[in-house]
Amino acid sequence: FFFQAEDGIRDNTRMLTPTEKIWFNGRFIPWEEARIHVLSHVVSYGSSIFEGIRCYATPSGPAIFRLREHIRRMVDSSKIYRMELPYSIDQLAEAMVELVRVNKLQSCYIRPIVLRGYGEMGVHPGANPIDIYVACWEWGKYLGEEALAEGVDVCISSWARLAPNTLPALAKAGGNYLNSQLIRMEANLNGYAEGIGLDEAGFVSEGSGENIFVVRDGKIHTPPLGASVLPGITRDTVIRLAGDLGIPLVETLIPREMLYIADEVFFTGTAAEISPVRSVDRIVVGAGRRGPITERLQKEFFGVIDGLKPDRYGWLTPVPAGQPAMAEK
């Protein structure tokens, strides 16, 4: 994801490649027409909810990974922030399937965004409308192809994660990611690929955009939701796959120093998928690359999403060929 240049670490996937259409409040509009007013409530006050969803190329065609689970989390996040959605889970799922189809993509990243739009000004949203956009585009591996095998170097951030009763960590809200930006920027400026935030009590929470798992003596440990953790869809996927593979897994508080003596550490997330960590604060983790348990989970995960293993949980939503049924502008 990062490469070293003369002026330091650069992000080599910053620019998006536009697709043809974006879904907006029930219809398709051209990519370049997806705009908001500068005085929209979301700009001043960060009032947005979003999701990140991947669509994978399989032998049977494109398929979206755990679509309904992502939409349910978006609905939950919206409920927490009192943003009533005018569409059902079924309607939003249909919109996302058709968006991939109309843009003729075999694999892509899907970004639905719920935001408070242009209306009244002030902290209280009042009568500001709720607008929903869904975009998709081609996007590679978040931490880089090499990272899936070799791992990445990370650090413990000086920025703590959200404390309870300040901002709701269970909501995937735009404003919450100001904290993530601080963690990520600090890490990158100090030469690391990612940073790990600790919770209010000093226990391991998560990366700037990933959940974290720690392997010690054949057992997987991961922080509980009470440690300011977002309930990740890929996190849940790994928990289920570990059970299938007979790998012991426990949700428990993890002290910082356990990262230094772990046999393996890996991140999970829609963007990061399953990415190993090779060092924390310059202390090498295990053998300094992907460990055997991380590799087993990767093989099972990628086998399912690539359509090479049975989809026993029904995680893949196929994108059928044909003409979309929804209105276009």
Side-chain angles (χ1 to χ4, degrees):
F1 184 68
F2 291 94
F3 66 88
Q4 187 73 37
E6 290 183 357
D7 56 347
I9 292 179
R10 294 281 191 86
D11 178 349
N12 68 346
T13 59
R14 183 175 299 165
M15 298 302 296
L16 300 179
T17 301
T19 51
E20 184 180 350
K21 298 290 184 181
I22 286 178
W23 187 90
F24 169 59
N25 288 350
R27 59 197 177 102
F28 294 117
I29 62 174
W31 174 285
E32 61 274 9
E33 291 185 15
R35 302 172 182 150
I36 61 172
H37 195 281
V38 69
L39 294 180
S40 295
H41 194 274
V42 64
V43 176
S44 293
Y45 305 110
S47 49
S48 68
I49 301 297
F50 72 97
E51 277 296 324
I53 310 170
R54 277 199 188 264
C55 176
Y56 290 95
T58 77
S60 302
I64 303 174
F65 183 65
R66 302 198 69 174
L67 174 60
R68 295 183 67 85
E69 291 92 332
H70 279 284
I71 298 174
R72 181 186 178 189
R73 186 173 64 180
M74 187 170 75
V75 170
D76 290 343
S77 299
S78 299
K79 185 175 183 180
I80 290 170
Y81 275 97
R82 302 178 187 269
M83 301 169 74
E84 186 173 350
L85 302 184
Y87 299 95
S88 68
I89 290 178
D90 287 341
Q91 289 172 320
L92 291 168
E94 180 187 4
M96 294 180 204
V97 168
E98 294 202 356
L99 180 69
V100 175
R101 181 168 53 188
V102 79
N103 283 308
K104 302 178 178 65
L105 296 173
Q106 291 299 305
S107 64
C108 62
Y109 187 84
I110 305 169
R111 172 54 57 87
I113 305 172
V114 180
L115 59 87
R116 296 192 190 274
Y118 178 74
E120 298 180 5
M121 182 56 75
V123 173
H124 190 278
N128 295 75
I130 302 297
D131 291 326
I132 304 178
Y133 293 83
V134 186
C136 65
W137 63 89
E138 293 182 344
W139 200 16
K141 302 300 182 186
Y142 186 61
L143 295 172
E145 290 283 354
E146 181 182 350
L148 292 176
E150 299 302 320
V152 293
D153 301 310
V154 308
C155 65
I156 305 298
S157 179
S158 67
W159 292 98
R161 286 284 295 149
L162 312 171
N165 242 18
T166 55
L167 291 173
L170 295 187
K172 194 172 177 68
N176 292 12
Y177 277 76
L178 287 171
N179 176 257
S180 296
Q181 290 177 52
L182 292 169
I183 291 171
R184 184 63 181 264
M185 288 188 294
E186 179 186 55
N188 294 162
L189 287 170
N190 289 319
Y192 297 95
E194 182 58 285
I196 295 171
L198 305 180
D199 69 11
E200 183 188 35
F203 293 102
V204 174
S205 178
E206 60 183 18
S208 70
E210 311 90 3
N211 294 117
I212 191 168
F213 291 79
V214 179
V215 180
R216 172 84 175 182
D217 295 331
K219 178 186 285 188
I220 302 175
H221 304 74
T222 195
L225 296 184
S228 294
V229 167
L230 182 75
I233 306 301
T234 312
R235 175 184 183 271
D236 177 73
T237 299
V238 164
I239 291 172
R240 294 200 195 186
L241 293 178
D244 287 351
L245 296 171
I247 304 171
L249 186 148
V250 59
E251 296 182 58
T252 184
L253 294 174
I254 298 174
R256 170 180 180 163
E257 61 271 24
M258 190 171 180
L259 298 173
Y260 303 144
I261 62 174
D263 299 321
E264 304 175 45
V265 177
F266 61 90
F267 287 130
T268 65
T270 296
E273 297 170 318
I274 301 176
S275 295
V277 171
R278 67 186 175 204
S279 73
V280 181
D281 291 339
R282 307 299 185 199
I283 298 175
V284 175
V285 174
R289 69 186 309 276
R290 177 178 59 194
I293 288 179
T294 305
E295 186 171 8
R296 285 182 69 191
L297 290 166
Q298 280 183 339
K299 286 182 177 178
E300 197 68 19
F301 173 75
F302 287 111
V304 172
I305 63 177
D306 291 338
L308 303 177
K309 287 180 176 286
D311 180 19
R312 56 187 176 275
Y313 287 113
W315 283 339
L316 298 177
T317 299
V319 178
Q323 295 297 316
M326 304 182 74
E328 294 189 40
K329 182 178 177 181

